[in-house]
Amino acid sequence: MDATDDLSARIDTTVAHPARRYNYWLGGRDHFAADRASGDAIAFAMPGVKLMAVENRAFMARAVRYLAQQGIRQFLDIGTGIPAPNNTHEVAQSVDPATRVVYVDNDPIVPTRACALLASEPGGVNAYIDADVREPRSVLDHPDLRATLDLSRPVGLLLVAVLHFIREDEDPQAIIDALTGALAPGSFIVASHATWEYLPAEAIAALIANNRDGRFQPRTAARFAELLSRCSPVPPGMVSVAHWRADDVPGPRPSAEDVACHGLVARIG
């Protein structure tokens, strides 16, 4: 069995997966009936969730461009998801084609689409690692990461729409500290986190019913800020992903209540 066959054998189409559900909300094609059913159930209770997915993706692109403009030439994108327009390397390498990017995800469908992630600009380097953020050493010690990134130099760490899949009993603080502690001073973290704090009680009850395995862990802005309190936010600090450095985005911005996802960019060290 070759690597592609092994990945295909790991794809369970009967169980919803966050990466495929997110792809469904973004209007992609890489999802199955279970992902669509779960996505629709969440959208019924939280009608703004598709808007959240779109705005979160746009936040990531603005944040990556900002870091590239600050001179960051290495990115570690954990929980990258299924390729979509404006992947990290596309944005960063539009600023400097020599930028190096490592993508990490644990959904076996992602590497089957990896050609879109690995198509680097000439002079740049992209790599993909099949690993889980809940095991940060499996990411940091991976030979493909070490061959692609120089951790003695600044890195842009992306944890975009990832932390809300780490339960409190899995010690998210230790995971964040392990990742940020491995990076050189002058590195940055880009993070976003969904919240239920704006939702009515009946919507929260419906979302809890759809979250039977407890994998999704909503957090308030205060708890999200606490997890990243050892980093130094850059202006405008923690705001809705729809509002982070979005002054030049055409059209009116949706409200924080409609998007219900916090985002920030912060300096490490």
Side-chain angles (χ1 to χ4, degrees), residues 30-90:
D30 294 300
H31 42 76
F32 302 101
D35 307 304
R36 295 189 290 273
S38 175
D40 288 343
I42 293 171
F44 182 80
M46 190 176 184
V49 72
K50 292 184 180 181
L51 177 63
M52 177 197 299
V54 172
E55 289 293 340
N56 182 70
R57 185 80 180 176
F59 157 74
M60 184 195 76
R62 293 195 302 274
V64 169
R65 183 172 299 280
Y66 168 79
L67 293 190
Q69 291 170 343
Q70 306 310 303
I72 297 297
R73 297 295 179 262
Q74 304 185 109
F75 289 85
L76 175 56
D77 184 347
I78 302 181
T80 182
I82 295 166
N86 287 326
N87 294 298
T88 296
H89 76 277
E90 294 171 324

Side-chain angles (χ1 to χ4, degrees), residues 74 76 137 139-141 145-146 148-155 179 182-185 187:
Q74 304 185 109
L76 175 56
R137 293 313 320 176
V139 176
L140 295 168
D141 296 337
L145 182 142
R146 296 290 175 165
T148 307
L149 304 183
D150 178 358
L151 298 188
S152 70
R153 300 179 63 82
V155 172
L179 292 169
L183 304 182
S187 295

